[in-house]
Amino acid sequence: MAFSYRLLSRSKQLYGSQAILNQQLAFPVRYYAKEAAPDGFKGDEMLKDIFRDLKKKFDTAIGVFRKEKIIIDPEDPAAVSHYMKVMKTAREKAGLLSESQRIQYTIEEETKDIPDARTYFLQLQEIRIKRDLPDELGVEAMMMDALDKVEKEIKKPLMRNDKKGMALLMAEFDKINTKLGVRREDLPKYEEDLELKIAKAQLEELKKDAVEAMETQRKREEFKDEKPVDVRSLDIRNFL
């Protein structure tokens, strides 16, 4: 293990770990300004408070990682599941949002002033594309077909405050969900599946960074006779 410590002590491994946490800490400034700032509240004071809050969250999350052994093996379901649980614990203790909660927050912020259903769904599509979320089942097309059907029935554009029209649309969406086998009670499972995919992707990135760092260092003269190190043997806690 001494080789791995020497090899990665100045590598991207540390920064890769921090980058993952930084993604969890990526809140827009408006998140901290839901209410109007008090009179005389200076901008630099607000920024200082935001920085202190983020630092506290970051330190709390890092504290969780320092107590848990992470196996960098994205192909091992047990390792991925454990990493997901560690990320969840760090997120909850630091008061951070999950990926699904962050998406929900983004949707609420970017659609709150949209009055009609069609523009709303087009904005949802834009958010999905920006966040690189796939629509493998073609749900968006089905939703727009349902909207077309409802608007044809009510003979006007559907507004979001039209309770009767929106009820008709929700009924159409229930039909789509039934067709796809999607049940509301299964939503927690879908969220867990998303978290597992995210955990695996992050472990893959960690593994890639570690391998690249070791390959770069092994080209140096002082490491040329060292044996390769299995990435799974690395302990992230030694680089935090």
Side-chain angles (χ1 to χ4, degrees), residues 15-59:
Y15 305 109
S17 304
Q18 291 179 336
I20 289 175
L21 291 174
N22 286 337
Q23 290 174 9
Q24 300 295 323
L25 293 167
F27 288 98
V29 172
R30 63 179 181 273
Y31 179 81
Y32 294 89
K34 291 183 178 179
E35 298 181 0
D39 292 338
F41 190 72
K42 296 181 180 179
D44 59 342
E45 293 176 349
M46 179 180 177
L47 290 175
K48 287 179 182 178
D49 284 345
I50 292 174
F51 175 79
R52 293 190 194 100
D53 186 51
L54 289 176
K55 185 178 185 302
K56 181 180 179 181
K57 292 177 184 295
F58 183 85
D59 290 342

Side-chain angles (χ1 to χ4, degrees), residues 36-179:
D39 292 338
F41 190 72
K42 296 181 180 179
D44 59 342
E45 293 176 349
M46 179 180 177
L47 290 175
K48 287 179 182 178
D49 284 345
I50 292 174
F51 175 79
R52 293 190 194 100
D53 186 51
L54 289 176
K55 185 178 185 302
K56 181 180 179 181
K57 292 177 184 295
F58 183 85
D59 290 342
T60 299
I62 283 289
V64 174
F65 273 83
R66 287 199 176 108
K67 297 177 182 178
E68 296 286 346
K69 173 67 182 294
I70 302 298
I71 305 298
I72 307 177
D73 188 358
E75 303 307 318
D76 180 1
V80 174
S81 179
H82 176 65
Y83 180 66
M84 179 197 71
K85 291 176 182 177
V86 174
M87 288 294 293
K88 182 178 180 180
T89 299
R91 192 169 60 234
E92 291 176 346
K93 288 191 174 182
L96 303 172
L97 299 179
S98 68
E99 182 64 16
S100 59
Q101 289 170 332
R102 289 169 65 189
I103 292 173
Q104 183 61 35
Y105 174 77
T106 299
I107 290 173
E108 291 175 356
E109 282 293 302
E110 296 190 14
T111 64
K112 61 184 179 182
D113 296 324
I114 296 177
D116 65 289
R118 187 171 297 276
T119 304
Y120 174 82
F121 290 127
L122 290 175
Q123 184 61 32
L124 289 186
Q125 183 182 54
E126 185 174 329
I127 293 172
R128 177 187 65 77
I129 293 172
K130 283 182 178 179
R131 298 188 72 92
D132 197 27
L133 299 172
D135 180 21
E136 298 172 349
L137 299 177
V139 175
E140 285 177 348
M142 287 186 259
M143 290 171 63
M144 294 306 286
D145 287 343
L147 177 59
D148 289 339
K149 180 179 178 180
V150 171
E151 289 188 335
K152 184 177 180 180
E153 182 176 341
I154 65 177
K155 297 180 175 61
K156 61 180 180 179
L158 176 60
M159 308 305 288
R160 295 173 66 191
N161 63 358
D162 180 349
K163 294 183 179 180
K164 184 177 180 180
M166 290 300 295
L168 291 173
L169 184 61
M170 291 302 105
E172 291 298 322
F173 285 175
D174 286 339
K175 294 178 184 177
I176 294 174
N177 288 334
T178 299
K179 179 180 179 181

